[in-house]
Amino acid sequence: MILVTGATGLVGAHLLYELCSGGHKVRATRRANSKTHFVEWVFSLYTANSSDLLNLIEWVDAEVLDYQSLVEATKGVSTVFHTAATVSFSPSQEQNILATNVRGTANVVDACLENGVKTLCHVSSIAALGERNDLGVIDESCKWQKSKGQSAYARSKFLGENEAWRGFEQGLRVVIVNPSVILGPGRWNSGSGQLFSIVSKGMPFYTDGVTGYVDVRDVAKAMVFLTLNTEVSGERFVLNSENLGFRELFTLIANVSNNRKPFIKIPLALIHVLYPLIFILTAGRISKSNLKSAFTKSYYSSDKIKALGFTFTPIAQTVQLMAEAKKKS
């Protein structure tokens, strides 16, 4: 039996589709009395027989901060895909972020150990990686370095990884994936979906920052590939399709949305002056600290998983899919 935590999230829903379309019966966690409409919507995007695949899912009520519910959920399970996490860069969410992403992961690991689960695939983040190497890129070899400027989210993903490694030391087969910014259809009011919603309406501003992006479908496929189709253990893999400048990404979104392309470059020195306007345009969803990070140029390498034969979807195709899906939502 396979268990997926955080199954109603963006990654979790796509992972369920990847597993079910491969014929796997899956147990999936959700919060008590929560709806599964998003999962149903995701399945309907990719297949006409979504009801048949949805019948392969056994839903159970469990939360990562409720240890006993995880013990019950992991009974009879051989493989756990841990996708449950709080993704936020809001200072007000710091305690919630650390609790869910660190203590929640510790609970998952302990439940796996208690019930004799063999394999844990843990979704981490590029936020848990260190500074670029001598080649100017960030990959699996780049170790975390404690820094005063790290966000609560970055710290939580690093500490969450440590919990997974603890499980490895105690006998679990552990595979960790470190996705870059995950793009995919749905969840239009949070994360990358929210970014797409904002930019698709016509975002005139851009910075000269660069970061990595990956299709959510590729994240799900990579997790299944590494966990079920290889024997790797005690390793982590960066999942990154392309490194793009913010202007490049915003232009891709503008093109598929038939809206204006970004044309006003924001110099770092003008953040304090322009931020009130940006705050209004984004309904307060972009903090000043987040905006400052948009000037960083970070380049990520997925050569490790590519060496195993894995390929990634071009981000232009991902953005096109998001645009088509948004029209249906």
Side-chain angles (χ1 to χ4, degrees), residues 23-325:
H24 297 282
K25 291 185 177 180
V26 186
R27 185 178 296 165
T29 69
R30 63 182 176 187
R31 290 188 174 92
N33 301 317
S34 65
K35 306 298 182 181
T36 59
H37 298 322
F38 179 66
V39 174
E40 295 163 10
W41 180 78
V42 167
F43 275 48
S44 70
L45 285 177
Y46 304 118
T47 181
N49 67 330
S50 58
S51 59
D52 292 340
L53 295 182
L54 289 165
N55 287 332
L56 295 174
I57 303 172
E58 172 196 346
W59 289 100
V60 296
D61 293 340
E63 296 188 40
V64 294
L65 295 180
D66 179 353
Y67 178 67
Q68 194 54 45
S69 71
L70 291 175
V71 171
E72 291 300 315
T74 51
K75 286 182 177 178
V77 168
S78 61
T79 301
V80 172
F81 290 93
H82 178 40
T83 77
T86 295
V87 181
S88 174
F89 296 93
S90 171
S92 65
Q93 290 293 310
E94 180 171 349
Q95 293 305 311
N96 181 41
I97 293 167
L98 290 169
T100 301
N101 299 352
V102 183
R103 183 154 55 89
T105 301
N107 285 342
V108 170
V109 169
D110 289 339
C112 287
L113 293 171
E114 180 168 335
N115 281 322
V117 173
K118 294 180 179 179
T119 301
L120 171 66
C121 179
H122 172 61
V123 180
S124 184
S125 168
I126 54 170
L129 301 174
E131 299 297 326
R132 62 187 180 184
N133 58 27
D134 293 339
L135 298 177
V137 298
I138 300 170
D139 61 15
E140 298 82 0
S141 68
C142 299
K143 304 301 182 183
W144 170 273
Q145 295 176 347
K146 195 171 183 179
S147 170
K148 183 177 179 180
Q150 297 290 0
S151 67
Y153 176 72
R155 286 187 284 116
S156 77
K157 298 309 287 186
F158 167 70
L159 295 172
E161 272 197 27
N162 285 347
E163 294 296 337
W165 294 132
R166 174 175 63 83
F168 176 68
E169 293 297 328
Q170 295 183 62
L172 268 177
R173 176 191 171 217
V174 171
V175 178
I176 294 179
V177 294
N178 297 82
S180 51
V181 178
I182 301 173
L183 298 176
R187 299 304 190 205
W188 307 115
N189 294 318
S190 63
S192 63
Q194 184 181 71
L195 174 66
F196 183 91
S197 297
I198 293 171
V199 177
S200 65
K201 295 175 182 177
M203 169 64 79
F205 304 105
Y206 70 93
T207 69
D208 58 3
V210 177
T211 193
Y213 300 90
V214 64
D215 190 306
V216 67
R217 296 169 297 177
D218 289 341
V219 175
K221 290 176 181 177
M223 293 171 69
V224 172
F225 168 68
L226 291 167
T227 307
L228 302 184
N229 299 325
T230 77
E231 296 182 355
V232 298
S233 181
E235 297 186 49
R236 62 180 181 175
F237 294 82
V238 172
L239 305 181
N240 182 58
S241 173
E242 296 178 58
N243 299 301
L244 297 174
F246 288 104
R247 188 178 193 182
E248 292 177 89
L249 178 67
F250 291 0
T251 298
L252 286 175
I253 296 174
N255 287 339
V256 299
S257 306
N258 296 317
N259 217 316
R260 62 182 174 182
K261 301 175 184 179
F263 60 93
I264 302 175
K265 181 179 178 180
I266 303 176
L268 181 59
L270 289 183
I271 283 183
H272 297 292
V273 176
L274 292 177
Y275 182 69
L277 177 59
I278 295 172
F279 182 89
I280 293 172
L281 288 173
T282 62
R285 294 167 181 165
I286 298 178
S287 70
K288 189 177 291 186
S289 60
N290 288 344
L291 188 59
K292 287 182 178 179
S293 69
F295 291 86
T296 302
K297 294 183 179 181
S298 299
Y299 299 87
Y300 299 90
S301 169
S302 282
D303 286 349
K304 183 177 180 180
I305 192 171
K306 287 179 180 178
L308 298 179
F310 191 84
T311 58
F312 289 91
T313 304
I315 294 302
Q317 292 182 20
T318 308
V319 170
Q320 181 65 46
L321 169 69
M322 294 176 73
E324 295 170 356

